[in-house]
Amino acid sequence: MSLVAAAVCPHPPLLVPDLAAGAASELDDLRAACRAAVAHLADALIDSLIVLGSDTTTVRRAAPFGGTLSPWGIDRPVGDPSGEPLPLSLLIGAYLMPGAGNFQSVAADAAPGECARLGLGLAGEAERVGLLVLGDGSACRTDKAPGFFDPRAEAFDATVAAALAGADAAALAALDPALAAELLVAGRAPWQVLAGAAEGEMRGELLYDSAPYGVAYFVATWAA
């Protein structure tokens, strides 16, 4: 039992074109990369697909899976909104992967060891496991970014980009949680869960690496 495929995507609400309104075209390249990453999962021979994103707690979500984009400006349902609302990361995962049947949140402040153990457990749930991993990079790349400019952000994001491109689980596992928190990195814990799930050698491809609006977004695929 092992991880055989993964897709890494960010989770800004603006991935939904209706939310972006007049600025929708600015993220067309990002949306196209996310579609390609999700197609990578759809084409893989997977027994179990798990959507993974950060939240305040580490919880395996129960069906029905979905919610609404009302908190971000439009009254649009995603998936099945009749159950407990998904956090933003998993809600965007449900938008990108309609019909997914397994949703797992990881606490944003989970320690690297806890993330590694969770990843190992997820990889052991089926013979061939796929992960859709949602997470943003630093939010401190420009003066207009949510966290304003921090000179450490670019180097941090470059480390993440290289690790995702090279399917370097060790580099992801070594990310500093304290620095990530200071840089408002939403993806640190989910990426470290991915690192824990990837026991064997994998091939990586980085499909997108940019920081529109001062927030770093990465799209990548991993395959065994």
Side-chain angles (χ1 to χ4, degrees), residues 49-146:
L49 172 66
I50 303 166
V51 181
L52 170 72
S54 64
D55 192 20
T56 55
T57 57
T58 299
V59 177
R60 188 59 169 263
R61 301 282 166 159
F65 305 112
T68 174
L69 293 168
S70 294
W72 295 278
I74 60 171
D75 186 15
R76 172 176 171 166
V78 175
D80 184 345
S82 64
E84 181 181 354
L86 293 173
L88 175 61
S89 62
L90 296 182
L91 189 66
I92 295 300
Y95 168 78
L96 292 173
M97 205 92 190
N102 295 292
F103 286 74
Q104 173 75 52
S105 65
V106 57
D109 61 354
E114 180 183 347
C115 294
R117 290 189 292 274
L118 176 59
L120 186 62
L122 295 179
E125 288 191 2
E127 193 65 31
R128 298 175 61 86
V129 173
L131 290 178
L132 173 57
V133 182
L134 287 304
D136 300 348
S138 74
C140 301
R141 291 286 292 272
T142 67
D143 290 336
K144 295 184 178 180

